[in-house]
Amino acid sequence: DTVASNVRAFIAENQTQLPAAAAAAAGAVAAPAATSKRLPYEQRAGLAKNSVAKQCFEIMARKRTNLAVAADVATADEMLALAEQAGPHICVLKTHVDIFDRWDDSIATKLQDIASRHDFLIFEDRKFADIGNTVVSQYAGGIYKIADWSHITNAHLVPGPGIIDGLKQVGLPKGRGCLLLAEMSSKGTLANGSYTEAVAEAAKQHEDFVMGFISVNPAAWKDGPGSPGLIHMTPGVQLAEGGDALGQQYNTPANVIGARGSDVIIVGRGVIKAADPAAAAAEYKEAGWAAYEASLAA
């Protein structure tokens, strides 16, 4: 204790005092950069330049949910049943239409009806990754006609910004929105660093159609999450951290919304593998919303 007291006394007696002006300047340099306070979803709705982004923020605020459920099931009937069960608790239902056992216009119509009744958006997780001319046909036509029924789709920027132009040509007149894949939740992903920065920059040029990102840790980006009118959705969310045998890495709602600065938690197996998917969705809804409210107060 005597040694510690002597050390503290020596330090106090030998401090170098700067002139007032110099001290002020030094303090200005040393001060940490101001962090942007999270805005409420309803306020961000007014800042969104894409109509689907605006609608999504409004649904989130109205239903008090930032939960998206990934309908990674094998059959169209299972998907429709899950939409009914989870619908009251979600803002978005995410589909992979090409894994269902069948698809036709009647299934699309049923899904749209469920989405309307339960007030959620449909997100076809197509991950387009081709040249602009090709994605025009993939998005508008084929057997799935994705642009006709899905409010949201997404795309990799690997082919360059022409992919946004192609998708926009189809989707913008229909009032659709696109999420750009800036990061992924799988181990060893190449979607990081300068690629993520390029995706963020491309979004700035197309905010009329690009509504946000698939991201993992936007708080760590060079410029943070970016425009408050853009939405960040993060996959790989469970109530406990961990991973699976194929490289998926899981984070908790509190970590994703709070520490990492995302907006929407995407939950798959935590809901669809539950004995009671509706109860599981309700539990994730509460966890996601609690994390959001805590982040507002931070």
Side-chain angles (χ1 to χ4, degrees), residues 87-106:
H89 310 293
I90 64 176
C91 58
V92 172
L93 183 79
K94 185 174 77 70
T95 60
H96 280 297
V97 68
D98 55 357
I99 70 175
F100 300 144
D101 60 337
R102 60 192 178 87
W103 189 262
D104 56 42
D105 291 346
S106 69

Side-chain angles (χ1 to χ4, degrees), residues 45-126:
L47 301 173
K49 297 178 182 178
N50 173 265
S51 61
V52 183
K54 175 181 173 64
Q55 189 178 358
C56 191
F57 281 129
E58 290 173 343
I59 290 172
M60 292 159 72
R62 183 165 59 244
K63 293 181 69 175
R64 296 175 61 84
T65 180
N66 51 16
L67 172 64
V69 165
D72 297 337
V73 292
T75 71
D77 288 342
E78 288 177 287
M79 179 273 294
L80 293 172
L82 179 65
E84 288 281 14
Q85 293 170 309
H89 310 293
I90 64 176
C91 58
V92 172
L93 183 79
K94 185 174 77 70
T95 60
H96 280 297
V97 68
D98 55 357
I99 70 175
F100 300 144
D101 60 337
R102 60 192 178 87
W103 189 262
D104 56 42
D105 291 346
S106 69
I107 299 170
T109 299
K110 289 177 184 176
L111 178 57
Q112 288 175 303
D113 176 64
I114 296 169
S116 178
R117 283 191 286 106
H118 290 305
D119 196 20
F120 65 79
L121 299 174
I122 304 165
F123 167 22
E124 168 50 30
D125 189 6
R126 176 60 177 77

Side-chain angles (χ1 to χ4, degrees), residues 190-250:
L190 301 180
N192 51 38
S194 60
Y195 176 80
T196 300
E197 291 177 15
V199 171
E201 187 59 35
K204 295 178 185 178
Q205 310 304 318
H206 297 273
E207 284 193 57
D208 56 341
F209 180 60
V210 174
M211 61 178 286
F213 308 95
I214 297 296
S215 59
V216 174
N217 191 7
W221 290 9
K222 178 181 176 182
D223 297 318
S227 168
L230 296 172
I231 296 176
H232 288 266
M233 299 192 186
T234 298
V237 178
Q238 288 203 357
L239 295 177
E241 293 184 354
D244 69 10
L246 296 178
Q248 177 65 296
Q249 301 175 104
Y250 293 113

Side-chain angles (χ1 to χ4, degrees), residues 170-192:
V170 176
L172 194 59
K174 293 178 177 288
R176 304 311 192 194
C178 179
L179 297 166
L180 294 181
L181 285 119
E183 298 174 295
M184 295 184 71
S185 57
S186 50
K187 186 177 181 180
T189 176
L190 301 180
N192 51 38

